[in-house]
Amino acid sequence: MKNKMPKLEEMTLREKINQTIVIKMEKGQSVDFAPGAAFFFGQIITEADEAGLDELRGYVKEIADKCTIPPLITSDFENGCGSMVKALTPLPYMMGLGATDDAETAYNYGKVTALEGRTIGANWSFSPVSDLNRNRRNPLINNRGMTDSADLGVKMLPQIIKGMQDHGLSACAKHFPGDGMDYRDQHIVTTYNTCDMEDWRATYGRVFAACIAEDVDSIMAGHIGLPAYPQKFSELHDMPLPATLSKELITDLLKGELGFEGIVVTDALGMGGFAGWYPDKGTSEIESFKAGCDMMLWPSAAYADNLEKAILSGEVPMSRLDDAVTRILRVKEKRGLFKEDHEMFYELSEEEKTFIKEFQQKCAEQSITLIRNDAGHFPLDPKKTPRLGICAVAQYAPAFEEAKLLKEEFEKRGFIVDYTEEGRPAAAERARFYRENDLILFATFSRAFRPVGFLDYLDGPAARIQRAFLDPNAVDKVMAVSFGSPYFYDQYFEKARTYVNAYSMLACSVKAFVRAACGEIEFQGKSPVEILDRKQYRKHF
């Protein structure tokens, strides 16, 4: 790897094309060219415990050593680096950050992500998620996003970006033109932002404009269409193209009207939302580049050859390639990758390590949101209600580890905890559970894409919730906390007189909830999304 910024006229055609490629960085993969960027993937992150971090750094160095132009190193560090690399620090999910309603916390969220990311060689993050979850049935955003409010997004998202980029990590606002309106998943099918343009400019457009004003280094184009914007429809399907294939959305709207001068990177090109618009993936990739996307996330092996042919034939003008490469090199220069004294791996000071640990706890505690306490159960007191029944509910099995931590945290405070994960208990066992415990806490755990599909409960877990209020005195005893979707309040527990949103199925959020529930700290969070309260019906009478 060299540290001199190249000039376009000194680069070969193939060197330019390779700069537009983001590869997967995974075990056993042989890379025989110098890509523009590499994404942490597969076993190298799932196995990266404390002992495995040096091995992970080895993969970064191996790729960087093959590159005459330093590569961008990236991953989906959406809620801190621990969201991808298990030895690092996970932060409360984005919606938990939104619940803090605090710009300084948002800045430090970005700062912590940058500091830890740089310890493993990362200089780019595919975050923050900048979508607005305006459809509570959206299967991908939910608590992975911050809010349904453009006002809160404009307040917080630029601060995350600033916190990242002030500390050496390029940010990426995603997914343009904005997810959170559809009820479908672009991993499976192309989805659509169904706003009219006046609404879009006042909401999604306003959020992306605020990110651009903060000089965000990159924006991810989603496999998401915007039918209200004037555009050419697909000749094959007579439907609006997704942003990843739409010149109107990328070149005209994002780069033109919004004035974005950074890198436009595609969402993953293996997703169903990108497939089927053209006869083959090779054609789709070239059309995506022609539309204005500068970097391709995991393109096919034939992409470089196909783009070279398209340029040599005149189908793709050299000016389009030069524009893309200029944007890429400009970001690399901003990150200091061409400096002689650039260090690939940052070493945290003891003060920074302490800051990261304390910030994780503080952010989690700021996020816990009390929605209802009509029964007056909070703060919980083991002297008044010593026997606590905890019913853990999850479709994603690993979440039960955090559920067991919930049990342990209450036991540390003197409660006698009756814990169950059983989805369909016999009637006699259910009756015993309610009879012998002073209070019943339903603890639900969920996150978008864990598993794929709507954030719902099926089969046994759904049956347990279905029976939550069947027993005598259940209304007085039942409490609920969601370590995930904020919408479970009215989706499952509208009759619960005690309800809390904690947003994240993480240990830090579990501990923060218990502290708030026991009165050790105040409930500080403000709901970052609209929560339906059926008491609103009273206004009609």
Side-chain angles (χ1 to χ4, degrees):
M1 183 176 71
K2 297 180 181 178
N3 290 100
K4 180 182 177 183
M5 182 173 174
K7 298 178 180 179
L8 285 178
E9 59 269 23
E10 296 173 348
M11 297 175 68
T12 67
L13 175 57
R14 201 57 172 230
E15 283 177 329
K16 291 180 181 180
I17 290 171
N18 288 345
Q19 283 299 295
T20 71
I21 297 174
V22 184
I23 65 166
K24 291 179 181 178
M25 186 180 359
E26 55 187 337
K27 280 189 174 182
Q29 181 174 359
S30 176
V31 181
D32 56 3
F33 69 99
F39 181 102
F40 291 115
F41 195 79
Q43 288 176 303
I44 70 166
I45 53 174
T46 58
E47 296 178 359
D49 53 16
E50 288 288 350
L53 285 180
D54 283 339
E55 183 180 6
L56 188 151
R57 294 183 185 104
Y59 288 109
V60 174
K61 190 174 186 306
E62 181 181 343
I63 288 177
D65 286 346
K66 294 180 179 179
C67 297
T68 55
I69 299 172
L72 292 167
I73 303 296
T74 186
S75 195
D76 288 320
F77 299 130
E78 293 181 2
N79 58 291
C81 294
S83 62
M84 294 298 287
V85 180
K86 65 181 180 181
L88 301 181
T89 306
L91 300 177
Y93 301 163
M94 284 284 290
M95 193 165 282
L97 173 63
T100 72
D101 191 26
D102 184 70
E104 182 181 0
T105 302
Y107 179 88
N108 286 331
Y109 195 94
K111 176 181 176 179
V112 165
T113 304
L115 291 175
E116 280 206 328
R118 287 175 55 210
T119 68
I120 53 173
N123 45 43
W124 189 17
S125 177
F126 286 163
S127 67
V129 174
S130 303
D131 305 299
L132 300 176
N133 198 63
R134 298 177 70 189
N135 181 350
R136 61 193 1 241
R137 297 296 291 161
N138 184 280
L140 266 187
I141 303 306
N142 198 281
N143 56 347
R144 183 177 164 222
M146 176 177 288
T147 181
D148 57 9
S149 164
D151 288 343
L152 184 58
V154 166
K155 174 181 177 178
M156 302 282 278
L157 288 164
Q159 289 302 308
I160 301 174
I161 291 165
K162 182 172 173 57
M164 285 183 180
Q165 296 188 170
D166 280 355
H167 295 87
L169 186 73
S170 285
C172 180
K174 65 183 186 185
H175 310 78
F176 189 83
D179 203 356
M181 292 293 290
D182 209 323
Y183 66 93
R184 298 170 299 170
D185 177 351
Q186 56 264 31
H187 289 84
I188 301 167
V189 63
T190 304
T191 66
Y192 290 93
N193 185 313
T194 51
C195 293
D196 61 42
M197 288 311 298
E198 182 179 2
D199 185 22
W200 184 87
R201 288 190 171 92
T203 55
Y204 291 94
R206 183 175 162 222
V207 168
F208 279 105
C211 295
I212 292 168
E214 191 51 58
D215 199 24
V216 66
D217 282 350
S218 63
I219 289 177
M220 180 176 283
H223 307 312
I224 304 166
L226 183 62
Y229 192 76
Q231 62 195 279
K232 180 180 70 176
F233 278 35
S234 162
E235 294 179 2
L236 185 61
H237 300 296
D238 194 29
M239 293 166 60
L241 291 162
T244 38
L245 290 166
S246 172
K247 180 179 181 295
E248 291 85 357
L249 294 184
I250 300 302
T251 299
D252 299 345
L253 178 57
L254 178 56
K255 293 182 174 181
E257 181 178 325
L258 295 181
F260 180 58
E261 296 181 350
I263 298 168
V264 177
V265 61
T266 68
D267 206 340
L269 297 181
M271 292 166 63
F274 186 73
W277 289 102
Y278 293 94
D280 58 79
K281 185 177 180 181
T283 301
S284 298
E285 290 171 345
I286 302 306
E287 291 298 322
S288 181
F289 190 77
K290 287 165 64 176
C293 294
D294 305 304
M295 297 190 84
M296 305 288 125
L297 181 55
W298 311 336
S300 65
Y303 164 73
D305 287 340
N306 290 339
L307 183 54
E308 182 173 350
K309 291 176 184 175
I311 289 172
L312 293 175
S313 70
E315 179 187 356
V316 176
M318 182 62 77
S319 59
R320 167 78 275 268
L321 180 60
D322 284 349
D323 172 61
V325 175
T326 297
R327 290 166 179 264
I328 296 163
L329 295 180
R330 192 160 55 214
V331 167
K332 292 183 176 185
E333 184 179 34
K334 284 175 65 178
R335 292 303 126 227
L337 301 189
F338 299 113
K339 292 182 178 179
E340 290 294 334
D341 60 352
H342 175 73
E343 294 184 2
M344 189 176 299
F345 305 108
Y346 180 74
E347 186 171 346
L348 293 172
S349 68
E350 290 305 314
E351 182 181 3
E352 288 168 332
K353 291 177 183 177
T354 300
F355 172 75
I356 290 168
K357 184 176 180 180
E358 291 179 348
F359 175 78
Q360 181 198 45
Q361 177 182 339
K362 179 182 177 183
C363 184
E365 291 178 354
Q366 286 179 290
S367 73
I368 307 302
T369 307
L370 179 61
I371 304 298
R372 291 182 78 179
N373 190 29
D374 291 357
H377 292 316
F378 294 137
L380 301 178
D381 185 344
K383 294 179 181 178
K384 295 179 180 178
T385 53
R387 301 191 64 88
L388 178 62
I390 296 180
C391 180
V393 184
Q395 292 289 155
Y396 181 62
F400 287 119
E401 291 304 310
E402 275 64 48
K404 289 168 183 164
L405 175 63
L406 182 66
K407 170 182 180 291
E408 294 168 6
E409 288 295 312
F410 276 114
E411 287 176 336
K412 286 179 184 177
R413 289 160 173 80
F415 290 91
I416 301 167
V417 178
D418 187 356
Y419 174 83
T420 179
E421 301 168 3
E422 188 178 359
R424 295 177 181 272
E429 168 57 20
R430 189 179 71 245
R432 181 208 65 77
F433 189 72
Y434 278 82
R435 182 179 63 253
E436 295 184 0
N437 292 299
D438 299 308
L439 294 173
I440 307 295
L441 177 64
F442 278 80
T444 63
F445 295 80
S446 62
R447 185 179 185 177
F449 221 61
R450 299 289 188 275
V452 174
F454 295 123
L455 273 72
D456 292 339
Y457 292 116
L458 308 173
D459 198 53
R464 190 61 187 261
I465 295 174
Q466 173 195 349
R467 294 170 174 82
F469 296 99
L470 291 181
D471 288 81
N473 303 314
V475 172
D476 290 329
K477 285 189 174 185
V478 168
M479 307 180 293
V481 55
S482 174
F483 296 101
S485 173
Y487 306 111
F488 286 172
Y489 170 56
D490 71 294
Q491 188 172 346
Y492 294 117
F493 294 105
E494 65 181 6
K495 295 186 183 70
R497 301 178 67 210
T498 308
Y499 183 89
V500 174
N501 274 327
Y503 307 103
S504 310
M505 53 183 193
L506 297 171
C508 60
S509 295
V510 168
K511 292 178 180 179
F513 163 71
V514 175
R515 292 197 69 201
C518 293
E520 297 166 19
I521 59 172
E522 296 292 326
F523 287 99
Q524 302 172 58
K526 302 176 184 178
S527 181
V529 292
E530 181 182 8
I531 300 295
L532 298 181
D533 189 335
R534 303 305 176 186
K535 290 183 179 180
Q536 67 182 314
Y537 297 143
R538 170 59 65 181
K539 69 185 180 183
H540 297 295
F541 300 95

